[in-house]
Amino acid sequence: MAFNSADTAAFKNVWVFCEQRQGVMMPTTFELISEGRKLADELGVELCGILLGDNVDGIAKELGGYGADKVYVYNSPLLKEFTTDAYTKVIVEAVEELKPEVLVFGASNIGRDLAPRCAARLHTGLCADCTHLDIDMPNYKDFLKEVSTLPEERIEKLGTVLINREPHSVERDLKMTRPAFGGHLMASIICPRFRPAMATVRPGVMKKREYDVTKAEAVEILHPAFELSAADIKTEVVEVVKVAKKMVDLIGADFIVSVGRGISKDVEKGIALAEELAEVLGGVVGSSRACVDAGWITADHQVGQTGKTVHPKVYIALGISGAIQHKAGMQDSECIIAVNKNETAPIFEGADYGIVGDLFKVVPELIESIKAVKAAK
């Protein structure tokens, strides 16, 4: 029987594409498996990982530790290095055979290349760069009440949409939320007419579950039959060259010192102070979008809806007003410290500690105080 993405009743289970590179699982995969566990529980189905590579069975079990019930492993020397042709063919044919109702990818370079090609071949929808996923309607409504400006009465009435002029319940549809219009709006998108519902998810926005050794041992590893030949691949990876580049690990940092428009009177000094404070704390420098747009700092430092979502132990905001787009990327930090000359700046509303003052005077004092405390230990 031919594959029909419109036969929504034939699809079941939640799948996560498990990205690995050189036999090492990417951290985003564990975040997605953790989130996939929540979605699968809400649907009452199994959570399955799909893992492609060459001899990657050894890293499949750890997916169970984060919530996977099954892992479909596709091993081949032709899958050792990522190529769009090979990975797309294998995933599309796996979906056509096994029919998951939800398929999630990380919004990495590979995920952003792979997911839209698979969606096009499967004739289904794809929501890119998601920051929130829901299926259960009460959970989704609670999310909207917290982050949206919709009246509560309107939120409570949500539950059906018109498809071809007929009412359709969205109870089992994946509600995919992503920034729109440069981060000025949040849009929730559904794919009611086709399956699987597909999404790419921004790294760092989903929380990783605690690893469970017992579940890792209990996960079912499956090796479905598949066909793949060199003739299916139009490109050849001749060599993989890793460029020695200093990367800003915002997602993994425990301490982040971010700069905003408040450094405008002396940009170089402002960034230098942030770097010195971050170094004393053992952290990294972040930034608001305004600094990136102005060309003061590179985009890999950006925190916010259109940047990275972070969860450090301490987040220090220097001269950042606190636009909702920025706060969405750092509001889950364990401790937020804000320094701003404007005592009414929105950043103070979500801060644990606020300092009203000139950052160029406050930060040197912070640095000296931290150094003194360290020296006394």
Side-chain angles (χ1 to χ4, degrees):
M1 185 176 178
F3 177 79
N4 180 9
S5 61
D7 182 15
T8 57
F11 292 75
K12 187 178 180 181
N13 295 334
V14 174
W15 279 21
V16 171
F17 169 67
C18 302
E19 183 179 337
Q20 59 81 27
R21 300 187 188 185
Q22 282 80 54
V24 177
M25 203 74 76
M26 295 293 97
T28 306
T29 295
F30 302 131
E31 297 171 9
L32 296 184
I33 287 288
S34 300
E35 181 68 11
R37 180 70 269 160
K38 182 198 80 171
L39 301 177
D41 289 344
E42 291 177 359
L43 284 168
V45 298
E46 292 183 321
L47 171 63
C48 308
I50 178 166
L51 176 62
L52 281 63
D54 184 28
N55 294 320
V56 289
D57 292 65
I59 59 173
K61 274 193 174 295
E62 58 186 326
L63 297 169
Y66 292 101
D69 298 304
K70 295 177 180 176
V71 182
Y72 295 108
V73 180
Y74 294 81
N75 281 310
S76 169
L78 296 173
L79 296 171
K80 183 175 183 179
E81 303 296 345
F82 172 78
T83 59
T84 307
D85 297 323
Y87 273 55
T88 300
K89 181 179 187 296
V90 172
I91 292 173
V92 166
E93 291 180 359
V95 170
E96 289 176 342
E97 178 187 357
L98 299 168
K99 297 182 177 61
E101 56 189 304
V102 172
L103 176 55
V104 180
F105 295 75
S108 61
N109 292 335
I110 286 177
R112 288 174 174 174
D113 177 35
L114 186 57
R117 294 173 186 269
C118 293
R121 292 194 190 185
L122 293 166
H123 194 267
T124 189
L126 170 70
C127 185
D129 208 28
C130 297
T131 56
H132 187 85
L133 300 176
D134 262 316
I135 288 174
D136 182 72
M137 279 303 294
N139 288 345
Y140 177 60
K141 289 177 180 179
D142 288 343
F143 165 71
L144 289 181
K145 290 172 186 175
E146 184 179 337
V147 304
S148 80
T149 56
L150 289 172
E152 190 168 324
E153 314 85 71
R154 185 176 172 186
I155 292 173
E156 288 299 338
K157 291 179 181 178
L158 295 175
T160 59
V161 295
L162 289 178
I163 303 295
N164 296 329
R165 299 183 180 179
E166 294 292 330
H168 167 82
S169 171
V170 299
E171 289 288 337
R172 288 187 66 86
D173 287 317
L174 179 65
K175 274 69 79 177
M176 302 168 277
T177 303
R178 69 176 305 276
F181 296 99
H184 294 284
L185 288 177
M186 296 298 285
S188 287
I189 297 166
I190 60 172
C191 181
R193 295 167 51 204
F194 303 102
R195 292 291 182 269
M198 291 179 57
T200 61
V201 177
R202 186 180 298 179
V205 301
M206 303 302 178
K207 291 185 178 179
K208 186 171 68 173
R209 297 160 64 100
E210 289 293 325
Y211 185 79
D212 189 322
V213 177
T214 305
K215 290 182 178 178
E217 292 300 320
V219 68
E220 187 177 358
I221 309 297
L222 302 169
H223 298 85
F226 70 103
E227 294 182 3
L228 182 67
S229 68
D232 296 316
I233 305 172
K234 298 181 179 64
T235 57
E236 180 185 359
V237 179
V238 178
E239 185 182 9
V240 176
V241 179
K242 293 185 179 181
V243 179
K245 179 184 176 183
K246 186 178 179 181
M247 301 297 290
V248 182
D249 184 15
L250 286 172
I251 294 174
D254 286 335
F255 297 89
I256 298 176
V257 180
S258 281
V259 292
R261 212 189 303 268
I263 65 170
S264 59
K265 74 175 184 181
D266 192 337
V267 173
E268 288 188 9
K269 184 178 179 182
I271 292 176
L273 284 173
E275 289 175 341
E276 187 177 355
L277 179 56
E279 185 178 352
V280 170
L281 291 169
V284 297
V285 174
S287 165
S288 69
R289 179 173 176 171
C291 294
V292 174
D293 288 347
W296 299 341
I297 198 166
T298 55
D300 54 340
H301 292 268
Q302 186 178 330
V303 174
Q305 279 180 357
T306 50
K308 292 185 176 72
T309 300
V310 297
H311 313 279
K313 291 179 179 177
V314 178
Y315 187 89
I316 303 178
L318 305 178
I320 295 175
S321 63
I324 189 170
Q325 294 87 358
H326 184 79
K327 288 197 286 188
M330 45 66 78
Q331 61 190 359
D332 290 332
S333 304
E334 291 182 24
C335 178
I336 299 172
I337 302 171
V339 180
N340 201 295
K341 288 196 296 185
N342 179 7
E343 63 182 16
T344 63
I347 192 69
F348 288 126
E349 295 172 8
D352 298 286
Y353 301 96
I355 302 173
V356 178
D358 186 341
L359 70 90
F360 291 95
K361 296 178 181 178
V362 172
V363 175
E365 293 185 22
L366 281 175
I367 292 169
E368 291 306 315
S369 297
I370 294 168
K371 285 181 177 178
V373 170
K374 285 190 169 184
K377 287 185 178 180

